Amino acid sequence: MISAWTGRQIRAAEQPLLDAGHGDRLMATAAHGLANAVLRAVRETRGRVYGARLAVIAGSGNNGGDALFAAATLARKGMSTTAVLTSARSHPQALAAFEKAGGTVLRLAAGGDGAGAGADDSAAAAAGPFVTPDEAAALCSRADALIDGILGTGASGGLRSPAKELVERIIGLDAPALTVACDLPSGVSAETGEVSGPVMPADLTVTFGGTKAGLLTDPAAGLAGRVLTVDIGLGPHLPAPELRRLEPADLADWWPVPQRTSHKYTRGVLGIVAGSAQYPGAALLCTQAAAATGVGMIRYLGPQEICRLVNLSTPEAVCSQGSVGESRVQAWLVGPGATGDRDQQARVRDALASGLPVVADAGALDSLPSDLGPQVILTPHAGELVRILAEQDVEVTREQVEAAPSDFARLGAGLTGATVLLKGATTVISSPSGALFTQDNATPWLAAAGSGDTLAGILGALAATVQRDLLAEAGIAEPDHWAAVAAMAAAVHGIAGTEAAAGGPVAASDISRAVPETVRALLELRQDG
Ligand SMILES: NC(=O)C1=CN([C@@H]2O[C@H](COP(=O)(O)OP(=O)(O)OC[C@H]3O[C@@H](n4cnc5c(N)ncnc54)[C@H](OP(=O)(O)O)[C@@H]3O)[C@@H](O)[C@H]2O)[C@@H](O)CC1
Ligand SMILES: [K+]
């Protein structure tokens, strides 16, 4: 499991070490980790390190300090290094080390508001000549590697002039062969992943002391590239993480595996209320997905015509037009394609009132009762979350949700009392108590009709069969169990979908077909064999 913390949490964890006088050591460790990561990446992209052109953009704070110290190390390895200082102030020891190692220093000429490396001539006296944003951008674009050390966890808001103009110009040119963000891409929030103004997209982000929550959340996740965390010894001082991400080993350890004495009822029965005359396909897709995920039995409830179709596509499902009250199940999946059918809507309402775990998708999201619990998992996309929030008297736009998905998933969960799985390039899951998981296992090819029905089926099957004592043993607090189950489903859906897509288009039913093989491969990772 990957744990991630807000910038504020990381800074608080650093404080006791800074108070004890270990600040220089922290920065040296961070810079060493950054330099090593750049070395490895340059070897991969270019082969030879000696003679490679390194450009560093350094801001006024410690983030610039990290970048300059790392560049000093890289200059000593034979890289041809140039630093562009965006402010009149820079970390004095780091700048001195950089110059001593033979690096070239340029100062970014002030923008319209008078800021920039030339604003304070006394502080910049030791530094080199001025360059315009255009000149500096051309130099950065030609580099074999570019380090973005403008802003780190001490920043507020987006880049200011003239760093802003420089980054805008770089984005307009060919990207450097390799862009490495120091701690985080400058201009993104380490707390929420929100992005303000222009941000240089990184191929690699080398982050210090602990993964920043914002780097694992959209939209920043889309700008951070691969995230590598450098340990600087904060471990004992770190609080409970702000956000977690499941890895294949977690899925393997927690996957519900039948025992020798298991039978269909003890494995878990999933009830499904899905499909209508208007949308029969959703019922077929989610039922197929649930069967492929592995469940003791599926009880499908719906109109006679859909029962017939479900029986044909998933003969294992037991289909009827019965009621929720007379169906014994461990969990319900309700809503896919169930819009506009009165009987189906009544079944959705009854399932939501049952107190059992319920995955509420699509049509079920429009008529939620007011007293939900964490065992109810809502699976909206951004537009559906806007409607759920509107029911709670919170007026937001889809764009606002997409700009800060973790904030709004958390708000939705808090207000409804349910667990919320917000679909997106990175899927965000929040428990009502605010525990966050994010999963980025999906491929963009999965953004297609029917993919959500498949996810709902996988999640429904897991909700019916998961052994929650395994989650408790892994340290997941009880109120967050259903968020972890939702994260498992998002991960498996993403992995199976990526396998099925194999770099090309994928039909939703192909995702289901790939699930058993995905689960088999995951189970091979089990520590207990
Ligand atoms: N603490 C530690 O021990 C360790 C910290 N580490 C490293 O330090 C980083 C945090 O360093 P930090 O606190 O110096 O802040 P940082 O983000 O570099 O710069 C903030 C400066 O920029 C300015 N500024 C602010 N907003 C701005 C904006 N929107 N646009 C433009 N400028 C803006 C503001 O100056 P101002 O001009 O406002 O006076 C301020 O001084 C952290 O990310 C990690 O890399 C590691 O070495 C491990 C040990
Ligand atoms: K940075």
Side-chain angles (χ1 to χ4, degrees), residues 5 7 9-18 22-35 62 66 153 182-183 206-212 228-238:
W5 291 268
Q9 287 175 319
I10 297 282
R11 290 171 77 84
E14 283 167 353
Q15 201 53 49
L17 296 166
L18 298 181
H22 299 309
D24 290 351
R25 183 167 56 79
L26 290 184
M27 189 175 258
T29 312
H32 180 73
L34 174 59
N62 289 334
D66 290 338
T153 55
C182 173
D183 209 16
V206 183
T207 195
F208 311 122
T211 307
K212 309 298 179 298
L228 183 83
T229 303
V230 173
D231 182 1
I232 60 169
L234 303 186
H237 306 284
L238 286 169

Side-chain angles (χ1 to χ4, degrees), residues 18-105:
L18 298 181
D19 294 345
H22 299 309
D24 290 351
R25 183 167 56 79
L26 290 184
M27 189 175 258
T29 312
H32 180 73
L34 174 59
N36 274 344
V38 173
L39 271 180
R40 275 197 303 275
V42 168
R43 277 197 196 106
E44 276 165 27
T45 51
R46 184 175 185 270
R48 243 161 77 92
V49 168
Y50 192 86
R53 287 162 302 184
L54 174 73
V56 178
I57 313 177
S60 63
N62 289 334
N63 193 255
D66 290 338
L68 287 169
F69 271 127
T73 302
L74 296 167
R76 287 195 297 272
K77 299 277 179 194
M79 288 178 106
S80 161
T81 51
T82 305
V84 177
L85 309 183
T86 62
S87 163
R89 283 179 299 116
S90 22
H91 192 283
Q93 293 88 348
L95 183 59
F98 178 73
E99 290 190 300
K100 189 164 169 228
T104 303
V105 177

Side-chain angles (χ1 to χ4, degrees), residues 51-360:
R53 287 162 302 184
L54 174 73
V56 178
I57 313 177
S60 63
N62 289 334
N63 193 255
D66 290 338
L68 287 169
F69 271 127
T73 302
L74 296 167
R76 287 195 297 272
K77 299 277 179 194
M79 288 178 106
S80 161
T81 51
T82 305
V84 177
L85 309 183
T86 62
S87 163
R89 283 179 299 116
S90 22
H91 192 283
Q93 293 88 348
L95 183 59
F98 178 73
E99 290 190 300
K100 189 164 169 228
T104 303
V105 177
L106 302 173
R107 295 186 280 166
L108 193 60
D113 65 359
D120 174 351
D121 275 336
S122 60
F130 287 105
V131 280
T132 64
D134 279 318
E135 290 162 342
L139 180 133
C140 292
S141 156
R142 284 194 303 268
D144 296 305
L146 172 64
I147 299 179
D148 164 7
I150 310 173
L151 297 177
T153 55
S156 49
L159 291 166
R160 293 198 297 250
S161 196
K164 180 167 179 271
E165 282 76 39
L166 171 57
V167 168
E168 279 168 349
R169 304 288 199 284
I170 295 173
I171 292 171
L173 298 174
D174 288 342
L178 172 75
T179 302
V180 181
C182 173
D183 209 16
L184 37 106
S186 303
V188 310
S189 157
E191 325 295 305
T192 62
E194 282 170 84
V195 171
S196 320
V199 172
M200 216 154 27
D203 302 298
L204 170 67
T205 295
V206 183
T207 195
F208 311 122
T211 307
K212 309 298 179 298
L215 296 173
L216 302 188
T217 313
D218 284 334
L223 295 161
R226 192 161 65 82
V227 176
L228 183 83
T229 303
V230 173
D231 182 1
I232 60 169
L234 303 186
H237 306 284
L238 286 169
E242 161 81 354
L243 177 158
R244 287 166 287 188
R245 174 168 293 178
L246 303 188
E247 295 184 284
D250 305 308
L251 303 175
D253 287 347
W254 301 346
W255 198 264
V257 175
Q259 304 301 307
R260 200 170 63 83
T261 54
S262 300
H263 55 75
K264 62 187 179 192
Y265 296 117
T266 56
R267 278 190 71 189
V269 179
L270 172 67
I272 297 183
V273 177
S276 57
Q278 201 182 351
Y279 302 109
L284 308 192
L285 288 170
C286 70
T287 309
Q288 279 169 355
T293 305
V295 57
M297 186 175 146
I298 296 171
R299 291 188 195 279
Y300 170 82
L301 304 184
Q304 190 172 18
E305 176 59 12
I306 315 293
C307 280
R308 205 178 62 79
L309 296 173
V310 170
N311 260 327
L312 287 174
S313 83
T314 311
E316 325 53 343
V318 176
C319 301
S320 81
Q321 290 132 68
S323 71
V324 160
E326 64 198 15
S327 308
R328 284 190 57 193
V329 300
Q330 272 65 54
W332 286 102
L333 156 58
V334 299
T339 320
D341 180 312
R342 260 211 234 142
D343 292 341
Q344 288 293 65
Q345 288 298 327
R347 292 183 182 110
V348 168
R349 274 196 302 278
D350 291 347
L352 282 166
S354 69
L356 288 171
V358 183
V359 177

Side-chain angles (χ1 to χ4, degrees), residues 431-455:
S431 73
S433 61
L436 289 174
F437 289 83
T438 68
Q439 296 300 140
D440 75 340
N441 311 83
T443 158
W445 289 106
L446 287 184
S451 177
D453 302 323
T454 310
L455 171 62

